Amino acid sequence: QVQPVESGGGSVQAGGSLKLSCTYPGNIRDNGCVAWVRQAPGKEREGVARIRIGDGATVYADSVKGRFTVSKDSAKLTFYLQMNSLKPEDTAMYYCAAAKVYCPALTSKDGFAVWDQGTQVTVSS
């Protein structure tokens, strides 16, 4: 089974930008989706954004709307998270995840399978 490859984390100052990327397997159905989730120390895992494979429909957490953009390149089997206007509260480990058959709600605790070890995003004030 192909495992995703994630890249792009790092440290930035508040207001800065980072772009994460992650490869995904080609067997996700059109109604399935890929997603970014994050977890800060001492906090529960949080869905950040998801994009449906078939039509590219996106959903964002309220905390990142207007600042983050999720996109995908189907030819490269890669999806991205462009993060702008970063805030210290965005500091977390970010993971790529997927739901192969259908897209659950972004708030779903068990709907997405996190497949990688994550990449750290640190935003300093």
Side-chain angles (χ1 to χ4, degrees):
Q1 181 177 351
V2 175
Q3 296 300 316
V5 175
E6 182 179 356
S7 63
S11 297
V12 294
Q13 290 192 326
S17 297
L18 284 172
K19 186 173 184 177
L20 307 182
S21 64
C22 185
T23 60
Y24 62 90
N27 62 350
I28 300 176
R29 296 185 183 181
D30 283 352
N31 283 335
C33 57
V34 286
W36 293 98
V37 300
R38 68 185 181 186
Q39 188 165 20
K43 294 189 176 181
E44 290 191 350
R45 195 174 76 183
E46 173 190 22
V48 175
R50 65 164 173 87
I51 182 167
R52 190 154 52 205
I53 295 298
D55 62 6
T58 58
V59 175
Y60 296 92
D62 287 343
S63 58
V64 306
K65 278 181 184 176
R67 300 188 298 121
F68 290 12
T69 302
V70 60
S71 61
K72 64 179 178 69
D73 184 331
S74 298
K76 296 181 179 179
L77 293 179
T78 301
F79 70 112
Y80 307 93
L81 186 68
Q82 177 67 47
M83 303 183 291
N84 298 329
S85 302
L86 281 160
K87 302 176 181 179
E89 50 263 44
D90 294 318
T91 295
M93 189 72 78
Y94 284 71
Y95 302 87
C96 42
K100 285 192 172 182
V101 178
Y102 75 98
C103 281
L106 197 57
T107 53
S108 170
K109 290 190 176 182
D110 300 318
F112 296 100
V114 172
W115 286 348
D116 75 327
Q117 302 214 353
T119 187
Q120 178 68 38
V121 171
T122 302
V123 185
S124 57
S125 57

